[in-house]
Amino acid sequence: MKNRNLGGMPPPKTRKEMEHNLALVYEDTIKKLGSKDKSAIDSVLIFTAPHLKKVKSIPNSRLNLLTIDESIRLQANMLDWMNYDS
C-alpha cells in the first residue's frame, strides 16, 4: 500500500493518473465478472457496473471527466491507493 502517513488517500494529480485509476476499476470489474464467486459478481453488478456504464469518452478518445460520478471516482482512487496489482 502507499504511504498512509500522508493524511489519507491523495487525489490523482493529473488527468493521466485519473484515467489510469479508472482503467484499474475496469480491469477489476472484468476480473470479478469472470470469476465464479457469485457474491463478487453480484457486488459488481449492483455497485460498480451502473456507474461505470455512465462514463463516456470524448471524440479524441479521452474520458469525459464530467461523466465520472463520485462513487466510481472514489473506487478508482482507492484501487490505486491500495497499490492494486492485477
Side-chain angles (χ1 to χ4, degrees), residues 54-71:
K54 294 177 186 176
V55 177
K56 305 292 181 202
S57 62
I58 53 180
N60 67 355
S61 300
R62 303 294 300 265
L63 294 178
N64 182 350
L65 298 180
L66 297 175
T67 62
I68 300 171
D69 66 10
E70 184 177 1
S71 176

Side-chain angles (χ1 to χ4, degrees), residues 11-76:
K13 292 182 176 57
T14 64
R15 179 187 188 107
K16 183 177 178 180
E17 286 180 11
M18 183 64 217
E19 289 176 344
H20 171 265
N21 295 352
L22 213 56
L24 293 176
V25 173
Y26 179 75
E27 290 174 7
D28 186 55
T29 300
I30 297 297
K31 179 180 170 186
K32 286 181 180 173
L33 288 175
S35 73
K36 298 195 187 299
D37 184 3
K38 184 173 172 14
S39 66
I41 293 170
D42 290 343
S43 177
V44 164
L45 291 176
I46 294 169
F47 299 110
T48 305
H51 300 286
L52 202 53
K53 281 177 49 176
K54 294 177 186 176
V55 177
K56 305 292 181 202
S57 62
I58 53 180
N60 67 355
S61 300
R62 303 294 300 265
L63 294 178
N64 182 350
L65 298 180
L66 297 175
T67 62
I68 300 171
D69 66 10
E70 184 177 1
S71 176
I72 203 73
R73 177 184 57 83
L74 289 172
Q75 187 175 355

